[in-house]
């Protein structure tokens, strides 16, 4: 008889496991925890519960054996090179990602990508069904796994299923372009509770169900056809680990490093900073255009003002990302060629990933943070920046098209499509008196500290537990969620 497999009360499923494989100089392979806020949040909710995480280990081929790391049971799921190409780079990042981000670049539709997406989602559902204990809570993450809720419900009707979308949910007019729109909606309706970054995203989902499935809806509830089930779709915006990141940014070495960064840039009067995955949704081109025009018009210029643009390498096997990278690098080259001075480049462009300490030091060093996406589910960089500014220094220029803007209204708002308006927002962020900027920063920090990632996770799980059908009594909910 095969040994009884251990099962878990709380199962997280996401495209990626929360660890990266690293090879030490002696060839020894080990796992290192990825530093994201999601992992910190999950650790806080997994305390005292038996928790497992199902996800891809990041390399194509046979998956490693399941293992335990930091108190979480990790269950790797194998993706072949063809799965990575069709399910991940293809359907997830070249079909869904553009449609869900306002079609900033055109979406690509291939039927074989869809077939692969279905098959990988089915494997996820099977892996979850294997590790979930009787009546477990299962929390599925993001647009790569939209079919998992319904597939899992078929395999395991006893478990409670939640799904959270880290990216926007598009208006029905754009969503309707997807040839597989009905299957995607039905896949999601297998969940008990669906969480979104903004109310507008939740409303878009409910509207899509009404218009494309002719489902009955009432407020944030969708009636599932042919059953007595109702699914709730609401906004529960994600956040950052405020306490952990603030403590990091208060470390003397980080503060010293921030000083050293400024000194190595020639101690400019105004250091501007952009930090993004190199993605066409992030508005990097628009930001550079506004900055270039301000330089050409001599309203600002080096050496008093400089811009550091950190662009993390991303999805380089998708053509739109390769094109964006060469376009950005050409633009930076042109700006520097035409507008720099000897020893004072106009733009410092860094195409790297950095450790958390270095990111915190950059945030502390920057007088103006430029967050200018054309569309972004939340944008954690904006929240990380204000978290690090315990000195109340700095100013945040924030696009109205980010989820973060809906919580951080006091920031210097911009519409990145409006280059003239963006230039004005940058100048305001530079020239507003320090006292006023401190007041703004204090308000922004209060919001993030009161709505941190631990509270997000607790609220999400409470909403999932209290979703229609199996409403729990109030006292069963964690304290944070009773509001
Ligand atoms: P992303 O599109 O990846 O996330 P974002 O929210 O900005 O966008 O998160 C990026 C993370 O990567 C931040 O924690 C940032 O500090 C880090 N990072 C960026 N550049 C880095 C670098 N060079 N080195 C090291 N770290 C770097 C998706 C959605 C967002 C949503 C998040 C979370 O697109 O809208 O906010 O998920 O839900």
């Amino acid at each position: 008889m095969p040994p009884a497999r251990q099962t878990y009360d709380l199962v997280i499923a996401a495209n990626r496991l929360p660890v990266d494989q690293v090879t030490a100089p002696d060839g020894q392979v080990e796992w290192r925890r990825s530093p994201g806020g999601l992992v910190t949040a999950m650790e806080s909710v997994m305390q005292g519960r038996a928790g497992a995480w199902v996800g891809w280990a990041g390399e194509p081929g046979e998956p490693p054996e399941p293992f335990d790391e930091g108190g979480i049971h990790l269950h790797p799921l194998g993706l072949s090179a063809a799965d990575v190409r069709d399910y991940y780079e293809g359907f997830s990042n070249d079909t869904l990602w553009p449609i869900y981000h306002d079609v900033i670049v055109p979406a690509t539709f291939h039927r074989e990508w869809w077939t692969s997406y279905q098959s990988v989602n089915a494997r996820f559902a099977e892996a979850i069904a294997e590790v979930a204990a009787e009546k477990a809570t299962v929390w599925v993450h993001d647009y790569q796994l939209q079919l998992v809720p319904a597939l899992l419900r078929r395999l395991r009707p006893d478990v409670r299923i939640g799904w959270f979308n880290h990216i926007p949910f598009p208006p029905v007019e754009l969503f309707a372009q997807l040839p597989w729109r009905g299957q995607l909606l039905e896949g999601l309706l297998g969940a008990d509770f669906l969480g979104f970054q903004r109310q507008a995203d939740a409303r878009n989902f409910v509207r899509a169900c009404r218009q494309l499935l002719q489902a009955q809806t009432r407020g944030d509830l969708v009636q599932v056809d042919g059953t007595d089930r109702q699914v709730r779709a609401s906004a529960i915006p994600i956040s950052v680990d405020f306490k952990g990141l603030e403590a990091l940014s208060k470390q003397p070495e980080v503060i010293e490093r921030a000083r050293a960064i400024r000194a190595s840039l020639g101690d400019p009067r105004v250091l501007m900073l952009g930090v993004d995955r190199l993605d066409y949704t992030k508005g990097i081109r628009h930001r550079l255009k506004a900055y270039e025009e301000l330089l050409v018009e001599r309203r600002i210029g080096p050496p008093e003002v400089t811009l550091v643009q950190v662009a993390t390498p991303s999805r380089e096997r998708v053509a739109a990302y390769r094109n964006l990278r060469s376009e950005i690098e050409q633009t930076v080259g042109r700006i520097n060629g035409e507008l720099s001075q000897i020893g004072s480049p106009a733009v410092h462009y860094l195409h790297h990933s950095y450790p958390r300490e270095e990111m915190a030091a950059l945030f502390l060093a920057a007088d103006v943070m430029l967050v200018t996406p054309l569309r972004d589910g939340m944008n954690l960089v904006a929240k990380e920046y204000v978290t690090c500014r315990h000195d109340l220094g700095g100013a945040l220029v924030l696009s109205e098209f980010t989820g973060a803007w809906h919580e951080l209204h006091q920031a210097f708002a911009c519409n990145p499509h409006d280059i003239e308006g963006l230039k004005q927002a940058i100048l305001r962020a530079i020239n507003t008196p320090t006292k006023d900027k401190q007041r703004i920063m204090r308000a922004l920090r209060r919001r993030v500290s009161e709505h941190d990632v631990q509270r997000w996770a607790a609220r999400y799980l409470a909403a999932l537990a209290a979703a229609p059908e199996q409403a729990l009594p109030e006292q069963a909910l964690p304290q944070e969620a009773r509001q």
Side-chain angles (χ1 to χ4, degrees), residues 26-63:
D26 62 1
Q28 190 82 7
V29 174
E30 51 181 66
W31 293 98
R32 199 171 293 156
R33 206 186 86 161
S34 9
L38 186 58
V39 187
T40 315
M42 292 309 125
E43 276 178 349
S44 73
V45 293
M46 278 190 186
Q47 264 165 26
R49 306 173 78 153
W53 191 309
V54 177
W56 176 41
E59 290 295 329
E62 280 303 306

Side-chain angles (χ1 to χ4, degrees), residues 35-38 97 101 142-143 164-168 197 237-240 245 274-279 281-282 310-315 350-356 359 362-363 371 373 375-382 384 402-404 456:
L38 186 58
W97 183 269
H101 288 89
D142 233 357
Y143 62 103
F164 182 78
N165 197 27
H166 290 258
I167 69 173
Q197 301 276 30
I238 197 169
S239 192
V240 295
L245 187 55
V275 172
D276 313 81
R277 253 185 333 94
L278 192 40
D279 194 299
T281 59
K282 302 291 183 183
V310 181
T312 319
S314 185
R315 306 178 188 170
L350 304 157
H351 186 242
H352 300 292
S353 259
Y354 288 103
R356 268 156 44 86
M359 298 295 287
L362 276 164
F363 291 143
V371 178
R375 179 58 74 201
D376 213 335
M378 174 53 60
N379 196 287
L380 293 179
V381 170
E384 289 166 355
T402 61
W456 167 76

Side-chain angles (χ1 to χ4, degrees), residues 314-334:
S314 185
R315 306 178 188 170
E316 299 205 312
R317 284 160 50 154
V318 178
Y321 288 77
R322 283 197 303 276
N323 298 341
L324 175 75
R325 179 173 174 191
S326 57
E327 206 181 326
I328 298 288
E329 293 184 353
Q330 263 179 29
T331 308
V332 169
R334 191 188 61 240

Side-chain angles (χ1 to χ4, degrees), residues 125-178:
E126 282 155 22
I128 299 165
E130 244 179 73
V131 296
E134 174 82 17
K135 292 195 159 71
T137 295
V138 178
W139 187 354
V140 183
H141 288 265
D142 233 357
Y143 62 103
Q144 300 95 347
L145 303 181
Q146 294 178 84
L147 303 179
V148 167
L151 292 166
L152 179 61
R153 180 170 292 278
R154 235 170 276 149
L155 296 171
R156 289 290 303 272
D158 60 301
V159 299
R160 193 127 257 251
I161 306 169
W163 176 80
F164 182 78
N165 197 27
H166 290 258
I167 69 173
F169 197 87
V172 63
E173 292 77 10
L174 296 179
F175 185 76
Q177 289 182 18
L178 278 164

Side-chain angles (χ1 to χ4, degrees), residues 77-258:
L77 190 122
L79 294 185
S80 67
D83 293 331
V84 175
R85 185 191 62 212
D86 296 343
Y87 143 78
Y88 180 65
E89 290 163 352
F91 198 79
S92 297
N93 289 334
D94 212 4
T95 306
L96 294 174
W97 183 269
I99 293 273
Y100 283 40
H101 288 89
D102 289 358
V103 202
I104 296 165
V105 307
T108 309
F109 302 125
H110 287 306
R111 279 163 280 188
E112 59 276 22
W113 289 358
W114 166 246
T115 307
S116 173
Y117 185 84
Q118 288 175 295
S119 114
V120 172
N121 270 250
R123 267 145 53 203
F124 263 92
E126 282 155 22
I128 299 165
E130 244 179 73
V131 296
E134 174 82 17
K135 292 195 159 71
T137 295
V138 178
W139 187 354
V140 183
H141 288 265
D142 233 357
Y143 62 103
Q144 300 95 347
L145 303 181
Q146 294 178 84
L147 303 179
V148 167
L151 292 166
L152 179 61
R153 180 170 292 278
R154 235 170 276 149
L155 296 171
R156 289 290 303 272
D158 60 301
V159 299
R160 193 127 257 251
I161 306 169
W163 176 80
F164 182 78
N165 197 27
H166 290 258
I167 69 173
F169 197 87
V172 63
E173 292 77 10
L174 296 179
F175 185 76
Q177 289 182 18
L178 278 164
W180 310 280
R181 60 201 192 184
Q183 289 104 309
L184 287 167
L185 293 176
E186 279 160 3
L188 290 174
L189 287 174
D192 296 284
F193 177 71
L194 301 167
F196 297 86
Q197 301 276 30
R198 298 173 311 154
Q199 271 179 10
D201 298 314
R203 279 199 296 264
N204 285 345
F205 172 79
V206 172
R207 221 176 122 218
C209 292
R210 204 166 51 234
Q211 291 194 12
L212 302 172
L213 297 180
Q214 283 74 51
Q216 299 283 327
T217 68
R218 188 168 49 84
D220 59 1
L221 291 176
V222 181
Q223 179 70 42
V224 182
D225 200 25
T227 72
D228 57 359
R229 290 181 53 241
Q230 290 190 322
V231 179
R232 189 181 295 282
S234 329
I236 302 201
I238 197 169
S239 192
V240 295
D241 175 21
F242 186 88
K243 283 200 194 78
L245 187 55
E246 187 194 43
L248 180 75
S249 67
K250 282 182 170 168
Q251 285 180 5
E253 309 82 68
V254 172
I255 295 173
E256 179 45 39
R257 176 67 191 142

